[in-house]
Amino acid sequence: MPLSLPLYSYVKVRFVRRVRRFLRSKSSRKRFRTSSDPSDVSSPGVRQRDESFILEYDRASVLQRTVKSLHFGDGEEKERAAKEIERLIKESAKIRKLIVDLGVVPALVVMADSDQLAVRALIELANGSFVHRTLMVEEGILSKLPKNAKFTAMDSTSHEFAELLCSLSSLANTRLFIASTEPAILYLLTILNSESNPNTNPSPKTKTFCLAALFNISTVLENAETLISNGVIPTLLRFSSVKEHSEKALPTLANLAVSSRGKQALESNSTFPEILIEVMTWEEKPKCQELSAYIIMILAHQSWALRERLAKSRIVPALLELALLGTPLAQKRALKLLQWFKDERQARVGPHSGPQTGRVAAGSAFNKKEIEKGKRTMRSLVKQSLDKNMEIITRRANGGECSSPTIRRTLVSSDSSKSLPF
């Protein structure tokens, strides 16, 4: 709604008074030396101080014109003002604070949905300032996100909003941000899912911003329901299988897996066992190996059916390799998982030993001979698996030179190997 003439005049007078007050405060702090002492005036320290004062005065003059154009100018003047504000913010921290005091943030938020320069200026204001980010959310910046799929697919625009959301998502644990989280999630997923189209594939940096923003949002348990209902699990699993983005996507999956809804969504996905098992074999990505083992631990705890599903996906060889060659944390998690996959009759009952269902009850139809035969068959399979994995691991560790049967038998029969669970 346009301002009435009296109100417009009042706002303009208040704005001019603020700028004048700012200029006076600057001039009272910086005074020129008199020319009575030429040596003093010509000294480097005096010249530097005078040049600094002139520069501050010029910046203040430019700021006065820029803020006036932003508030009262037409479309082109506002665009130029937004670009100039971005430049001034980068040059001076004092200008940054003054700009916010002059009411620039609400004006830039209004322009954000149609002006990329305004978004750039908001990014500069948001960097390193919790107060500025809060002010942007209060002014409704999340409601200004583009809703047109064609518009969000344009990488230049998507990158700007993704970077801004990455900064604003640090407010994820505030009530103000939680109340308006869904538009941000939908926008981030729209960008990430647009990579299927070669013409609209966002840049790797844009994807990194989106994944980082989703991680910040997922740190608040209240956001898990909104994330999962909008289909974030398949997107995160897809990016987890890409080495370039896996380290950003897996932490978000881990945050979601601790919720009951997240656990159900992961278990119902047919691709998650193969993806996480594959990640555990990435020797050049130790952090990803640790996260993958952690997610599997969360899902497999107290779930006998899921353990059977993982065993069919050949998780045991991957866990054996991780237990021998992984980082200390990855080894610890791999050994715990191997203990869970061990014969339930021999596993120690503990807080993390998994369910105790599925055992053969006394008086069942299986006789002792059949049970012993099954145990011998299982031990034989385990020994074959160990022999094969030891051969692969030894060849990889020694460049293919030390893979003789004697060395393998020594490794398999050593005390450390005997202590490994199934």
Side-chain angles (χ1 to χ4, degrees), residues 387-419:
D387 287 342
K388 184 176 180 181
N389 281 283
M390 287 299 178
E391 180 181 358
I392 295 171
I393 294 168
T394 305
R395 191 188 311 119
R396 186 178 299 168
N398 297 279
E401 297 177 358
C402 301
S403 59
S404 64
T406 304
I407 295 177
R408 291 200 303 274
R409 283 196 298 272
T410 303
L411 287 170
V412 173
S413 61
S414 65
D415 293 337
S416 60
S417 296
K418 286 180 179 178
S419 63

PDB file of all heavy atoms in Angstrom, residues 387-419:
ATOM      1  N   ASP A 387      39.187 -66.967   4.784  1.00  0.00           N
ATOM      2  CA  ASP A 387      40.310 -67.234   3.875  1.00  0.00           C
ATOM      3  C   ASP A 387      40.290 -66.295   2.680  1.00  0.00           C
ATOM      4  O   ASP A 387      41.308 -65.716   2.303  1.00  0.00           O
ATOM      5  CB  ASP A 387      40.261 -68.688   3.397  1.00  0.00           C
ATOM      6  CG  ASP A 387      40.661 -69.667   4.501  1.00  0.00           C
ATOM      7  OD1 ASP A 387      41.283 -69.197   5.475  1.00  0.00           O
ATOM      8  OD2 ASP A 387      40.346 -70.857   4.383  1.00  0.00           O
ATOM      9  N   LYS A 388      39.105 -66.131   2.103  1.00  0.00           N
ATOM     10  CA  LYS A 388      38.981 -65.285   0.920  1.00  0.00           C
ATOM     11  C   LYS A 388      39.275 -63.826   1.257  1.00  0.00           C
ATOM     12  O   LYS A 388      40.001 -63.131   0.533  1.00  0.00           O
ATOM     13  CB  LYS A 388      37.578 -65.427   0.336  1.00  0.00           C
ATOM     14  CG  LYS A 388      37.379 -64.662  -0.964  1.00  0.00           C
ATOM     15  CD  LYS A 388      36.004 -64.924  -1.537  1.00  0.00           C
ATOM     16  CE  LYS A 388      35.805 -64.144  -2.844  1.00  0.00           C
ATOM     17  NZ  LYS A 388      34.463 -64.377  -3.405  1.00  0.00           N
ATOM     18  N   ASN A 389      38.712 -63.353   2.365  1.00  0.00           N
ATOM     19  CA  ASN A 389      38.923 -61.957   2.742  1.00  0.00           C
ATOM     20  C   ASN A 389      40.361 -61.693   3.157  1.00  0.00           C
ATOM     21  O   ASN A 389      40.917 -60.638   2.854  1.00  0.00           O
ATOM     22  CB  ASN A 389      37.972 -61.567   3.873  1.00  0.00           C
ATOM     23  CG  ASN A 389      36.566 -61.286   3.374  1.00  0.00           C
ATOM     24  OD1 ASN A 389      36.291 -60.238   2.821  1.00  0.00           O
ATOM     25  ND2 ASN A 389      35.688 -62.269   3.534  1.00  0.00           N
ATOM     26  N   MET A 390      40.987 -62.636   3.857  1.00  0.00           N
ATOM     27  CA  MET A 390      42.386 -62.471   4.241  1.00  0.00           C
ATOM     28  C   MET A 390      43.285 -62.413   3.008  1.00  0.00           C
ATOM     29  O   MET A 390      44.250 -61.650   2.965  1.00  0.00           O
ATOM     30  CB  MET A 390      42.819 -63.623   5.154  1.00  0.00           C
ATOM     31  CG  MET A 390      42.247 -63.528   6.562  1.00  0.00           C
ATOM     32  SD  MET A 390      42.797 -62.024   7.386  1.00  0.00           S
ATOM     33  CE  MET A 390      41.935 -62.182   8.936  1.00  0.00           C
ATOM     34  N   GLU A 391      42.963 -63.216   1.999  1.00  0.00           N
ATOM     35  CA  GLU A 391      43.748 -63.186   0.766  1.00  0.00           C
ATOM     36  C   GLU A 391      43.647 -61.822   0.088  1.00  0.00           C
ATOM     37  O   GLU A 391      44.649 -61.242  -0.349  1.00  0.00           O
ATOM     38  CB  GLU A 391      43.253 -64.291  -0.175  1.00  0.00           C
ATOM     39  CG  GLU A 391      44.024 -64.343  -1.487  1.00  0.00           C
ATOM     40  CD  GLU A 391      43.497 -65.424  -2.408  1.00  0.00           C
ATOM     41  OE1 GLU A 391      42.565 -66.150  -2.000  1.00  0.00           O
ATOM     42  OE2 GLU A 391      44.009 -65.540  -3.521  1.00  0.00           O
ATOM     43  N   ILE A 392      42.416 -61.284   0.031  1.00  0.00           N
ATOM     44  CA  ILE A 392      42.214 -59.972  -0.602  1.00  0.00           C
ATOM     45  C   ILE A 392      42.921 -58.880   0.186  1.00  0.00           C
ATOM     46  O   ILE A 392      43.607 -58.015  -0.368  1.00  0.00           O
ATOM     47  CB  ILE A 392      40.704 -59.672  -0.722  1.00  0.00           C
ATOM     48  CG1 ILE A 392      40.034 -60.665  -1.678  1.00  0.00           C
ATOM     49  CG2 ILE A 392      40.469 -58.246  -1.221  1.00  0.00           C
ATOM     50  CD1 ILE A 392      38.518 -60.573  -1.697  1.00  0.00           C
ATOM     51  N   ILE A 393      42.751 -58.912   1.520  1.00  0.00           N
ATOM     52  CA  ILE A 393      43.336 -57.871   2.374  1.00  0.00           C
ATOM     53  C   ILE A 393      44.866 -57.932   2.335  1.00  0.00           C
ATOM     54  O   ILE A 393      45.545 -56.910   2.236  1.00  0.00           O
ATOM     55  CB  ILE A 393      42.818 -58.020   3.817  1.00  0.00           C
ATOM     56  CG1 ILE A 393      41.308 -57.727   3.856  1.00  0.00           C
ATOM     57  CG2 ILE A 393      43.555 -57.095   4.765  1.00  0.00           C
ATOM     58  CD1 ILE A 393      40.648 -58.131   5.150  1.00  0.00           C
ATOM     59  N   THR A 394      45.424 -59.146   2.380  1.00  0.00           N
ATOM     60  CA  THR A 394      46.880 -59.290   2.357  1.00  0.00           C
ATOM     61  C   THR A 394      47.461 -58.809   1.035  1.00  0.00           C
ATOM     62  O   THR A 394      48.480 -58.117   0.993  1.00  0.00           O
ATOM     63  CB  THR A 394      47.263 -60.762   2.598  1.00  0.00           C
ATOM     64  OG1 THR A 394      46.665 -61.219   3.810  1.00  0.00           O
ATOM     65  CG2 THR A 394      48.772 -60.911   2.690  1.00  0.00           C
ATOM     66  N   ARG A 395      46.793 -59.170  -0.069  1.00  0.00           N
ATOM     67  CA  ARG A 395      47.262 -58.738  -1.395  1.00  0.00           C
ATOM     68  C   ARG A 395      47.209 -57.225  -1.516  1.00  0.00           C
ATOM     69  O   ARG A 395      48.108 -56.582  -2.062  1.00  0.00           O
ATOM     70  CB  ARG A 395      46.417 -59.392  -2.474  1.00  0.00           C
ATOM     71  CG  ARG A 395      47.013 -59.205  -3.881  1.00  0.00           C
ATOM     72  CD  ARG A 395      46.081 -59.685  -4.971  1.00  0.00           C
ATOM     73  NE  ARG A 395      45.573 -61.016  -4.709  1.00  0.00           N
ATOM     74  CZ  ARG A 395      44.299 -61.303  -4.554  1.00  0.00           C
ATOM     75  NH1 ARG A 395      43.394 -60.334  -4.600  1.00  0.00           N
ATOM     76  NH2 ARG A 395      43.910 -62.529  -4.331  1.00  0.00           N
ATOM     77  N   ARG A 396      46.139 -56.639  -0.978  1.00  0.00           N
ATOM     78  CA  ARG A 396      45.993 -55.179  -1.068  1.00  0.00           C
ATOM     79  C   ARG A 396      47.013 -54.470  -0.192  1.00  0.00           C
ATOM     80  O   ARG A 396      47.553 -53.431  -0.558  1.00  0.00           O
ATOM     81  CB  ARG A 396      44.578 -54.783  -0.638  1.00  0.00           C
ATOM     82  CG  ARG A 396      44.257 -53.316  -0.836  1.00  0.00           C
ATOM     83  CD  ARG A 396      42.838 -53.038  -0.422  1.00  0.00           C
ATOM     84  NE  ARG A 396      41.886 -53.791  -1.220  1.00  0.00           N
ATOM     85  CZ  ARG A 396      40.591 -53.906  -0.929  1.00  0.00           C
ATOM     86  NH1 ARG A 396      40.106 -53.296   0.134  1.00  0.00           N
ATOM     87  NH2 ARG A 396      39.788 -54.615  -1.704  1.00  0.00           N
ATOM     88  N   ALA A 397      47.289 -55.017   0.986  1.00  0.00           N
ATOM     89  CA  ALA A 397      48.227 -54.371   1.905  1.00  0.00           C
ATOM     90  C   ALA A 397      49.672 -54.500   1.459  1.00  0.00           C
ATOM     91  O   ALA A 397      50.496 -53.622   1.727  1.00  0.00           O
ATOM     92  CB  ALA A 397      48.064 -54.972   3.305  1.00  0.00           C
ATOM     93  N   ASN A 398      50.006 -55.592   0.748  1.00  0.00           N
ATOM     94  CA  ASN A 398      51.391 -55.840   0.357  1.00  0.00           C
ATOM     95  C   ASN A 398      51.627 -55.728  -1.145  1.00  0.00           C
ATOM     96  O   ASN A 398      52.642 -56.179  -1.652  1.00  0.00           O
ATOM     97  CB  ASN A 398      51.821 -57.242   0.823  1.00  0.00           C
ATOM     98  CG  ASN A 398      51.793 -57.380   2.328  1.00  0.00           C
ATOM     99  OD1 ASN A 398      52.723 -56.962   3.005  1.00  0.00           O
ATOM    100  ND2 ASN A 398      50.718 -57.947   2.855  1.00  0.00           N
ATOM    101  N   GLY A 399      50.684 -55.129  -1.833  1.00  0.00           N
ATOM    102  CA  GLY A 399      50.856 -54.926  -3.275  1.00  0.00           C
ATOM    103  C   GLY A 399      50.834 -56.195  -4.078  1.00  0.00           C
ATOM    104  O   GLY A 399      51.418 -56.288  -5.152  1.00  0.00           O
ATOM    105  N   GLY A 400      50.189 -57.261  -3.543  1.00  0.00           N
ATOM    106  CA  GLY A 400      50.047 -58.502  -4.299  1.00  0.00           C
ATOM    107  C   GLY A 400      51.225 -59.433  -4.167  1.00  0.00           C
ATOM    108  O   GLY A 400      51.279 -60.467  -4.813  1.00  0.00           O
ATOM    109  N   GLU A 401      52.231 -59.105  -3.286  1.00  0.00           N
ATOM    110  CA  GLU A 401      53.439 -59.912  -3.200  1.00  0.00           C
ATOM    111  C   GLU A 401      53.329 -61.027  -2.172  1.00  0.00           C
ATOM    112  O   GLU A 401      53.982 -62.045  -2.280  1.00  0.00           O
ATOM    113  CB  GLU A 401      54.624 -59.018  -2.839  1.00  0.00           C
ATOM    114  CG  GLU A 401      54.904 -57.976  -3.918  1.00  0.00           C
ATOM    115  CD  GLU A 401      56.038 -57.047  -3.518  1.00  0.00           C
ATOM    116  OE1 GLU A 401      56.544 -57.231  -2.393  1.00  0.00           O
ATOM    117  OE2 GLU A 401      56.397 -56.161  -4.314  1.00  0.00           O
ATOM    118  N   CYS A 402      52.543 -60.799  -1.123  1.00  0.00           N
ATOM    119  CA  CYS A 402      52.491 -61.761  -0.015  1.00  0.00           C
ATOM    120  C   CYS A 402      51.097 -62.340   0.105  1.00  0.00           C
ATOM    121  O   CYS A 402      50.365 -61.986   1.001  1.00  0.00           O
ATOM    122  CB  CYS A 402      52.894 -61.096   1.301  1.00  0.00           C
ATOM    123  SG  CYS A 402      54.560 -60.409   1.252  1.00  0.00           S
ATOM    124  N   SER A 403      50.717 -63.180  -0.802  1.00  0.00           N
ATOM    125  CA  SER A 403      49.380 -63.772  -0.753  1.00  0.00           C
ATOM    126  C   SER A 403      49.453 -65.290  -0.763  1.00  0.00           C
ATOM    127  O   SER A 403      48.596 -65.955  -1.298  1.00  0.00           O
ATOM    128  CB  SER A 403      48.548 -63.282  -1.948  1.00  0.00           C
ATOM    129  OG  SER A 403      49.197 -63.633  -3.148  1.00  0.00           O
ATOM    130  N   SER A 404      50.529 -65.856  -0.211  1.00  0.00           N
ATOM    131  CA  SER A 404      50.677 -67.302  -0.216  1.00  0.00           C
ATOM    132  C   SER A 404      49.726 -67.947   0.767  1.00  0.00           C
ATOM    133  O   SER A 404      49.317 -67.318   1.747  1.00  0.00           O
ATOM    134  CB  SER A 404      52.128 -67.675   0.157  1.00  0.00           C
ATOM    135  OG  SER A 404      52.401 -67.266   1.467  1.00  0.00           O
ATOM    136  N   PRO A 405      49.377 -69.220   0.549  1.00  0.00           N
ATOM    137  CA  PRO A 405      48.460 -69.910   1.468  1.00  0.00           C
ATOM    138  C   PRO A 405      49.012 -69.986   2.881  1.00  0.00           C
ATOM    139  O   PRO A 405      48.270 -69.957   3.855  1.00  0.00           O
ATOM    140  CB  PRO A 405      48.293 -71.300   0.840  1.00  0.00           C
ATOM    141  CG  PRO A 405      48.651 -71.105  -0.605  1.00  0.00           C
ATOM    142  CD  PRO A 405      49.686 -70.041  -0.633  1.00  0.00           C
ATOM    143  N   THR A 406      50.369 -70.074   3.017  1.00  0.00           N
ATOM    144  CA  THR A 406      50.956 -70.186   4.352  1.00  0.00           C
ATOM    145  C   THR A 406      50.688 -68.936   5.179  1.00  0.00           C
ATOM    146  O   THR A 406      50.307 -69.004   6.350  1.00  0.00           O
ATOM    147  CB  THR A 406      52.473 -70.397   4.237  1.00  0.00           C
ATOM    148  OG1 THR A 406      52.726 -71.531   3.434  1.00  0.00           O
ATOM    149  CG2 THR A 406      53.098 -70.581   5.628  1.00  0.00           C
ATOM    150  N   ILE A 407      50.878 -67.762   4.554  1.00  0.00           N
ATOM    151  CA  ILE A 407      50.629 -66.506   5.266  1.00  0.00           C
ATOM    152  C   ILE A 407      49.165 -66.386   5.626  1.00  0.00           C
ATOM    153  O   ILE A 407      48.810 -65.949   6.709  1.00  0.00           O
ATOM    154  CB  ILE A 407      51.081 -65.312   4.402  1.00  0.00           C
ATOM    155  CG1 ILE A 407      52.591 -65.365   4.210  1.00  0.00           C
ATOM    156  CG2 ILE A 407      50.661 -63.994   5.009  1.00  0.00           C
ATOM    157  CD1 ILE A 407      53.135 -64.268   3.318  1.00  0.00           C
ATOM    158  N   ARG A 408      48.294 -66.789   4.702  1.00  0.00           N
ATOM    159  CA  ARG A 408      46.861 -66.693   4.986  1.00  0.00           C
ATOM    160  C   ARG A 408      46.497 -67.580   6.160  1.00  0.00           C
ATOM    161  O   ARG A 408      45.722 -67.189   7.034  1.00  0.00           O
ATOM    162  CB  ARG A 408      46.049 -67.079   3.745  1.00  0.00           C
ATOM    163  CG  ARG A 408      46.164 -66.066   2.608  1.00  0.00           C
ATOM    164  CD  ARG A 408      45.000 -66.234   1.644  1.00  0.00           C
ATOM    165  NE  ARG A 408      44.914 -67.586   1.112  1.00  0.00           N
ATOM    166  CZ  ARG A 408      45.586 -67.988   0.041  1.00  0.00           C
ATOM    167  NH1 ARG A 408      46.393 -67.162  -0.598  1.00  0.00           N
ATOM    168  NH2 ARG A 408      45.457 -69.214  -0.396  1.00  0.00           N
ATOM    169  N   ARG A 409      47.061 -68.801   6.189  1.00  0.00           N
ATOM    170  CA  ARG A 409      46.736 -69.703   7.293  1.00  0.00           C
ATOM    171  C   ARG A 409      47.254 -69.140   8.618  1.00  0.00           C
ATOM    172  O   ARG A 409      46.607 -69.253   9.654  1.00  0.00           O
ATOM    173  CB  ARG A 409      47.333 -71.100   7.035  1.00  0.00           C
ATOM    174  CG  ARG A 409      46.559 -71.925   6.022  1.00  0.00           C
ATOM    175  CD  ARG A 409      46.968 -73.388   6.111  1.00  0.00           C
ATOM    176  NE  ARG A 409      48.384 -73.586   5.807  1.00  0.00           N
ATOM    177  CZ  ARG A 409      48.857 -73.780   4.578  1.00  0.00           C
ATOM    178  NH1 ARG A 409      48.046 -73.811   3.538  1.00  0.00           N
ATOM    179  NH2 ARG A 409      50.167 -73.952   4.377  1.00  0.00           N
ATOM    180  N   THR A 410      48.415 -68.471   8.554  1.00  0.00           N
ATOM    181  CA  THR A 410      48.965 -67.869   9.769  1.00  0.00           C
ATOM    182  C   THR A 410      48.071 -66.765  10.288  1.00  0.00           C
ATOM    183  O   THR A 410      47.795 -66.644  11.481  1.00  0.00           O
ATOM    184  CB  THR A 410      50.369 -67.310   9.485  1.00  0.00           C
ATOM    185  OG1 THR A 410      51.190 -68.342   8.985  1.00  0.00           O
ATOM    186  CG2 THR A 410      50.978 -66.725  10.769  1.00  0.00           C
ATOM    187  N   LEU A 411      47.586 -65.919   9.347  1.00  0.00           N
ATOM    188  CA  LEU A 411      46.711 -64.825   9.740  1.00  0.00           C
ATOM    189  C   LEU A 411      45.393 -65.331  10.309  1.00  0.00           C
ATOM    190  O   LEU A 411      44.892 -64.844  11.318  1.00  0.00           O
ATOM    191  CB  LEU A 411      46.441 -63.900   8.541  1.00  0.00           C
ATOM    192  CG  LEU A 411      47.616 -63.005   8.117  1.00  0.00           C
ATOM    193  CD1 LEU A 411      47.275 -62.349   6.783  1.00  0.00           C
ATOM    194  CD2 LEU A 411      47.896 -61.959   9.171  1.00  0.00           C
ATOM    195  N   VAL A 412      44.831 -66.362   9.654  1.00  0.00           N
ATOM    196  CA  VAL A 412      43.531 -66.873  10.086  1.00  0.00           C
ATOM    197  C   VAL A 412      43.632 -67.556  11.429  1.00  0.00           C
ATOM    198  O   VAL A 412      42.742 -67.463  12.273  1.00  0.00           O
ATOM    199  CB  VAL A 412      42.953 -67.832   9.018  1.00  0.00           C
ATOM    200  CG1 VAL A 412      41.688 -68.494   9.526  1.00  0.00           C
ATOM    201  CG2 VAL A 412      42.677 -67.072   7.741  1.00  0.00           C
ATOM    202  N   SER A 413      44.757 -68.247  11.678  1.00  0.00           N
ATOM    203  CA  SER A 413      44.886 -69.018  12.911  1.00  0.00           C
ATOM    204  C   SER A 413      45.474 -68.220  14.060  1.00  0.00           C
ATOM    205  O   SER A 413      45.664 -68.744  15.140  1.00  0.00           O
ATOM    206  CB  SER A 413      45.769 -70.246  12.660  1.00  0.00           C
ATOM    207  OG  SER A 413      47.066 -69.812  12.247  1.00  0.00           O
ATOM    208  N   SER A 414      45.791 -66.921  13.832  1.00  0.00           N
ATOM    209  CA  SER A 414      46.372 -66.103  14.899  1.00  0.00           C
ATOM    210  C   SER A 414      45.323 -65.832  15.970  1.00  0.00           C
ATOM    211  O   SER A 414      44.133 -65.943  15.741  1.00  0.00           O
ATOM    212  CB  SER A 414      46.908 -64.779  14.323  1.00  0.00           C
ATOM    213  OG  SER A 414      45.843 -64.029  13.829  1.00  0.00           O
ATOM    214  N   ASP A 415      45.809 -65.447  17.153  1.00  0.00           N
ATOM    215  CA  ASP A 415      44.905 -65.192  18.272  1.00  0.00           C
ATOM    216  C   ASP A 415      43.971 -64.036  17.978  1.00  0.00           C
ATOM    217  O   ASP A 415      42.819 -64.039  18.364  1.00  0.00           O
ATOM    218  CB  ASP A 415      45.718 -64.889  19.544  1.00  0.00           C
ATOM    219  CG  ASP A 415      46.486 -66.113  20.013  1.00  0.00           C
ATOM    220  OD1 ASP A 415      46.063 -67.231  19.644  1.00  0.00           O
ATOM    221  OD2 ASP A 415      47.480 -65.943  20.734  1.00  0.00           O
ATOM    222  N   SER A 416      44.509 -62.993  17.295  1.00  0.00           N
ATOM    223  CA  SER A 416      43.663 -61.835  17.021  1.00  0.00           C
ATOM    224  C   SER A 416      42.529 -62.203  16.094  1.00  0.00           C
ATOM    225  O   SER A 416      41.410 -61.712  16.214  1.00  0.00           O
ATOM    226  CB  SER A 416      44.482 -60.696  16.407  1.00  0.00           C
ATOM    227  OG  SER A 416      45.071 -61.124  15.189  1.00  0.00           O
ATOM    228  N   SER A 417      42.797 -63.098  15.111  1.00  0.00           N
ATOM    229  CA  SER A 417      41.740 -63.498  14.210  1.00  0.00           C
ATOM    230  C   SER A 417      40.733 -64.401  14.899  1.00  0.00           C
ATOM    231  O   SER A 417      39.551 -64.356  14.615  1.00  0.00           O
ATOM    232  CB  SER A 417      42.336 -64.213  12.993  1.00  0.00           C
ATOM    233  OG  SER A 417      43.155 -63.319  12.254  1.00  0.00           O
ATOM    234  N   LYS A 418      41.218 -65.227  15.804  1.00  0.00           N
ATOM    235  CA  LYS A 418      40.289 -66.099  16.509  1.00  0.00           C
ATOM    236  C   LYS A 418      39.300 -65.304  17.363  1.00  0.00           C
ATOM    237  O   LYS A 418      38.179 -65.731  17.598  1.00  0.00           O
ATOM    238  CB  LYS A 418      41.057 -67.079  17.402  1.00  0.00           C
ATOM    239  CG  LYS A 418      41.754 -68.189  16.621  1.00  0.00           C
ATOM    240  CD  LYS A 418      42.476 -69.108  17.566  1.00  0.00           C
ATOM    241  CE  LYS A 418      43.169 -70.240  16.814  1.00  0.00           C
ATOM    242  NZ  LYS A 418      43.920 -71.123  17.706  1.00  0.00           N
ATOM    243  N   SER A 419      39.759 -64.143  17.810  1.00  0.00           N
ATOM    244  CA  SER A 419      38.873 -63.369  18.664  1.00  0.00           C
ATOM    245  C   SER A 419      37.818 -62.603  17.886  1.00  0.00           C
ATOM    246  O   SER A 419      36.923 -62.027  18.482  1.00  0.00           O
ATOM    247  CB  SER A 419      39.693 -62.348  19.472  1.00  0.00           C
ATOM    248  OG  SER A 419      40.313 -61.416  18.581  1.00  0.00           O
TER     249      SER A 419
END
